[in-house]
Amino acid sequence: MNLTHLTALELGRAITQGDVTIPQATQAALEEIAQRDKSLNSCITVLAEQAMERAETLQKGLKPGLSPLYGVPLLLKDNLCTQGVPTTCGSRLLEGYVPPYDATVVEKVKTAGGVCLGKGNLDEFAMGSTTETSNFGPTRNPWDESRVPGGSSGGCAAAVAAGFAWYALGSDTGGSIRQPAGYCGLTGLKPTYGSVSRYGLVAYASSMDQVGPLCRDAADCAAVLDMIQGKDPRDSTTVDGNYGGLLSSLASDIRGLRVGLPMECFGEGLRPQVAQRVQEVARVLESRGGTVTQVSIPELKLVIPAYYVLASAEASSNLARYDGVKYGFRAKEYGNLTQMYENTRSQGFGKEAKLRILLGTFVLSAGYYEAYYKKALAVQGQVKQGLERAFAICDVLLTPVTPNTAPKLGESLRDPMGMYLSDLYTVPANLAGLPALSMPCGVDGDGLSVGAQLVGPRFGEQVLLNTAHAYQQETDYHRQVPKGGGMG
Amino acid sequence: MEETNKPVRELSRLARLSLTPQEEEELAGRLEEMVGYLHALSQVEHGAEVEAPSAVPFRPDQVEPSLDGDKLLNQAPQVRDGYVVTPRSVGEGGAE
C-alpha cells in the first residue's frame, strides 16, 4: 500500500482496521518531508519529535467509534495559532512569537485525534497569490518546481499534493484555499462565513477570512468540515446552525441539480484551455442528471477593485497591532516610542504587506473614504444581490478557479497587477460570505492542473460537496499525484 | 500620480512605516497603479446605506480562567518586574 497516496479517510479506515499504525503513517509523512521539502519549501516548522510522540499516544487510545480522521496526520497554515509552537505568518514581524493558546480549529482537530506535522508556508500575513512573499522563501509547486503553488495557503497545498500530509487547514480571504488547491490538483473548500471559528486565526481581513480544508477529494473535505464547523463563543461572528453530518449525508446522486454558468466568468482574459476543462465539468454534471444553464451576474464586473479596497482597509487596521511592544519582533535601534514603532514595522513587514497597509490607509483616509471605501461596500452589496438572484434559479454556480494555470516563480512579482486581477473568480464568494469549492478538472497543454470552482448559497456546503463527489465518481483527476512523490 | 506620489510619505507616517527612498519610489509607483485601477469604483452609484450588522447578544458575564499572565509577558521583547518596557510614551524623546 502506498500510504502517502491514500486519501485522509482511506488512511483513517486503514488505521481503524489495524492495517496501518498511526506512528507508521506519521513516520512515512515525516520521511517524505525530510527527503523532499528542501526543494519544495512547503513547511516553515516541522514537528517531527512532537508528531511521533503524539502518534504513539493516539495509537494507544485507538478504539471503536472515534472520528474518521483519528490518527491522520495534517499540516496547519502558519497563520493559525498553535500553543507552544512558533506561529510566523510568513513574516519577520512575528519572529520569536510562540502563542500561549491554540486556535479553536486547532483544538478541534486535536480533540478529533489529528497529528499535526508542522506549519505550512504562506504569503506574508496571507497577502499574496503565489507564496512568494513569505519571509521564509517561496514554496514550489510539486507538479513543476519551476512554478508557484499558488497562495496564500501555498505551503499547505504543495505539501498535501506532494504527499507530506493527508490534509491541511488553510485560510481563504480572497481565494487563498481554492486557488492553491486549483494550481496543485487538490480539492479545497472555503466555508460559509461564520460557520468556522476565526479565534486564533491571525487576522488579515476579518470580514472575509475563513478557515477551511485542503484535501485530496470532496469526501475528505466533508470529514474535515464536520470536524471544524460550529458556533464558537470566542468568535462572535460564528453563527448557530446544524453542523455535522456532511460526510454521512454525502451523496453522488445529483439528478435535477441546477448548475449555473455565469457568463461573466467565461469572458476576456480566460485561457481557452482552462475554459474548455471547466466546460467539460458541466458536461459531466449533465451526464449525471444535472441541468446546465447560462446565467448573467453583471454585478461581478467590479469585484476586484471592491475586494482590494475592503481587504486592504481591514488589513491596515488589523496590522496596526504589530508595533514591537507585546510580542514578536522589535527593532534594535530607536530613539523614542514613535521610532520604535516605525523601525519595528519597517524592518518587520515585507514589501507586499507594506503596500497593502498603505493602500488601506489611503482608502480610509479623510477625503477618500467616500470615493473608495463606501463605493466598495456598495459593490459588495450589489454582488450579494446578484448572487442571490442567481441562486433563485440555480443550486450551484460553476466557474474556473483562475483564468490561468500556475505561473512560473517570479512572474507574478514582476506583474503584481496581473496577479491581483487573477483573483476575479474567487473573490465574489468572499465578498458575499458564500461557500465555494475548488476541484481539479484536468490539465493544460503543459500538464498543469486546472481547477473548477463550485459556489453555493449560504450554508450550501452539502450541495457543493455532493456535486464535487459526483464529479469525482466519474473522473480520476483528483487521484493523480505528482512524479517523485509517494513511498510505500 | 498626484494622489499618491507626494502623499506616500504622509500615508507612511500615518501607518507608522519609515520607508527608504527606494521603497518610497517603488511603493509610490505601485500605489499609483492600484489607485488608478480602483478609480473604476467611481462609476458606482452609492447604494442604500449598508446595513449595520445586527447586534451580537452579550454572553453572561462570569469569571473564567484566562491566559496566564507570565506566559503572555514572556512574549514581550522587553520586560522588567512584570511590566512591558517601551520608550517613554508621554513627552516623547526621552530615553527608555
Side-chain angles (χ1 to χ4, degrees):
Chain A
M1 184 182 349
N2 197 332
L3 274 189
T4 58
H5 290 179
L6 298 179
T7 68
L9 283 167
E10 285 167 350
L11 179 64
R13 276 194 292 276
I15 288 170
T16 308
Q17 289 161 6
D19 299 334
V20 181
T21 68
I22 302 168
Q24 278 170 349
T26 307
Q27 185 66 38
L30 289 170
E31 281 171 14
E32 287 286 311
I33 294 172
Q35 281 169 23
R36 295 168 52 219
D37 204 37
K38 276 198 180 69
S39 62
L40 289 184
N41 194 33
S42 68
C43 301
I44 291 177
T45 303
V46 179
L47 300 166
E49 223 168 281
Q50 273 175 257
M52 284 310 296
E53 273 175 32
R54 168 119 172 115
E56 300 284 355
T57 309
L58 288 171
Q59 185 65 34
K60 287 178 194 144
L62 194 59
K63 60 182 182 193
L66 295 167
S67 156
L69 296 179
Y70 183 88
V72 177
L74 72 141
L75 200 67
L76 297 167
K77 187 174 180 179
D78 205 16
N79 59 354
L80 289 166
C81 285
T82 40
Q83 187 173 2
V85 175
T87 297
T88 69
C89 287
S91 178
R92 189 184 181 199
L93 237 164
L94 285 179
E95 198 174 83
Y97 176 57
V98 182
Y101 68 103
D102 276 330
T104 296
V105 290
V106 175
E107 271 180 6
K108 284 176 179 262
V109 162
K110 283 185 178 174
T111 305
V115 180
C116 178
L117 295 164
K119 308 291 293 283
N121 201 3
L122 70 161
D123 284 296
E124 186 179 14
F125 285 102
M127 295 174 179
S129 310
T130 62
T131 316
E132 291 174 291
T133 70
S134 169
N135 186 47
F136 298 86
T139 297
R140 292 171 181 272
N141 190 319
W143 290 93
D144 176 348
E145 293 194 13
S146 70
R147 294 179 186 269
V148 302
S152 64
S153 311
C156 287
V160 176
F164 297 172
W166 282 266
Y167 70 99
L169 294 187
S171 66
D172 189 315
T173 305
S176 283
I177 288 173
R178 290 161 286 157
Q179 186 255 30
Y183 282 174
C184 290
L186 300 177
T187 306
L189 195 148
K190 181 205 86 79
T192 302
Y193 185 80
S195 69
V196 179
S197 170
R198 291 179 299 109
Y199 178 76
L201 167 68
V202 177
Y204 162 22
S206 312
S207 76
M208 293 181 277
D209 296 339
Q210 199 68 175
V211 179
L214 288 124
C215 297
R216 300 207 175 126
D217 67 12
D220 280 2
C221 280
V224 178
L225 275 183
D226 278 341
M227 199 162 60
I228 64 172
Q229 281 189 317
K231 169 89 181 154
D232 180 7
R234 294 177 297 190
D235 173 3
S236 62
T237 61
T238 53
V239 291
D240 279 319
N242 290 321
Y243 299 112
L246 291 169
L247 179 63
S248 57
S249 305
L250 193 67
S252 54
D253 181 359
I254 55 162
R255 279 174 297 177
L257 181 82
R258 298 170 304 168
V259 182
L261 297 180
M263 57 206 303
E264 291 76 13
C265 298
F266 290 86
E268 201 187 332
L270 177 62
R271 287 254 301 272
Q273 288 182 337
V274 174
Q276 208 179 332
R277 295 287 93 80
V278 179
Q279 300 282 3
E280 283 162 13
V281 175
R283 285 198 283 279
V284 171
L285 297 179
E286 261 180 333
S287 75
R288 292 191 65 106
T291 56
V292 177
T293 50
Q294 208 171 54
V295 294
S296 175
I297 313 173
E299 293 89 343
L300 297 181
K301 197 173 72 174
L302 290 173
V303 286
I304 292 291
Y307 169 77
Y308 276 96
V309 166
L310 297 177
S312 303
E314 293 187 35
S316 73
S317 171
N318 274 326
L319 271 57
R321 74 190 66 179
Y322 302 108
D323 56 9
V325 174
K326 295 194 290 288
Y327 50 83
F329 169 76
R330 180 189 286 192
K332 295 273 178 295
E333 291 177 9
Y334 44 85
N336 57 39
L337 188 64
T338 303
Q339 278 176 17
M340 188 190 87
Y341 293 153
E342 289 184 347
N343 294 353
T344 296
R345 290 165 63 77
S346 301
Q347 293 164 30
F349 285 128
K351 214 181 293 168
E352 188 65 29
K354 284 176 186 168
L355 176 81
R356 296 196 194 197
I357 290 170
L358 291 174
L359 183 64
T361 307
F362 172 70
V363 298
L364 290 177
S365 57
Y368 298 107
Y369 176 83
E370 301 274 334
Y372 295 99
Y373 189 74
K374 284 196 84 172
K375 299 269 188 183
L377 285 178
V379 171
Q380 183 178 32
Q382 292 166 7
V383 168
K384 281 182 187 170
Q385 285 170 6
L387 287 165
E388 271 170 29
R389 205 178 55 242
F391 285 118
I393 53 167
C394 302
D395 300 309
V396 293
L397 296 174
L398 170 65
T399 78
V401 176
T402 48
N404 51 9
T405 49
K408 296 259 187 199
L409 283 152
E411 262 177 30
S412 304
L413 296 178
R414 287 190 293 277
D415 177 21
M417 268 317 286
M419 179 180 77
Y420 301 145
L421 295 176
S422 70
D423 295 341
L424 179 69
Y425 310 131
T426 48
V427 296
N430 301 85
L431 287 169
L434 303 180
L437 176 148
S438 162
M439 61 181 186
C441 62
V443 294
D444 69 1
D446 294 323
L448 298 168
S449 178
V450 175
Q453 176 180 237
L454 298 166
V455 184
R458 215 163 133 71
F459 298 106
E461 276 83 348
Q462 187 78 63
V463 70
L464 297 185
L465 291 163
N466 287 354
T467 309
H469 186 58
Y471 176 75
Q472 291 177 345
Q473 302 300 300
E474 291 284 328
T475 58
D476 66 353
Y477 302 120
H478 60 291
R479 305 281 330 180
Q480 289 166 19
V481 291
K483 283 189 198 112
M487 54 164 291
Chain B
M1 195 200 71
E2 222 287 298
E3 263 174 344
T4 53
N5 201 12
K6 191 177 163 198
V8 78
R9 211 162 296 145
E10 174 61 6
L11 287 175
S12 53
R13 187 190 69 77
L14 290 170
R16 296 289 186 266
L17 290 167
S18 56
L19 305 177
T20 63
Q22 293 95 315
E23 274 184 321
E24 206 170 88
E25 197 174 322
E26 186 186 344
L27 290 176
R30 285 187 61 191
L31 271 176
E32 180 181 335
E33 191 182 10
M34 284 206 80
V35 172
Y37 180 70
L38 300 182
H39 269 312
L41 290 172
S42 62
Q43 63 185 267
V44 177
E45 296 292 323
H46 270 310
E49 277 296 308
V50 180
E51 267 181 58
S54 54
V56 177
F58 291 116
R59 60 174 165 72
D61 196 12
Q62 56 195 32
V63 179
E64 279 181 7
S66 186
L67 295 170
D68 182 88
D70 287 338
K71 280 188 184 164
L72 293 173
L73 277 175
N74 278 344
Q75 298 298 321
Q78 210 180 337
V79 175
R80 192 188 305 149
D81 303 329
Y83 291 93
V84 173
V85 178
T86 69
R88 179 195 297 271
S89 59
V90 179
E92 270 195 31
E96 280 178 36

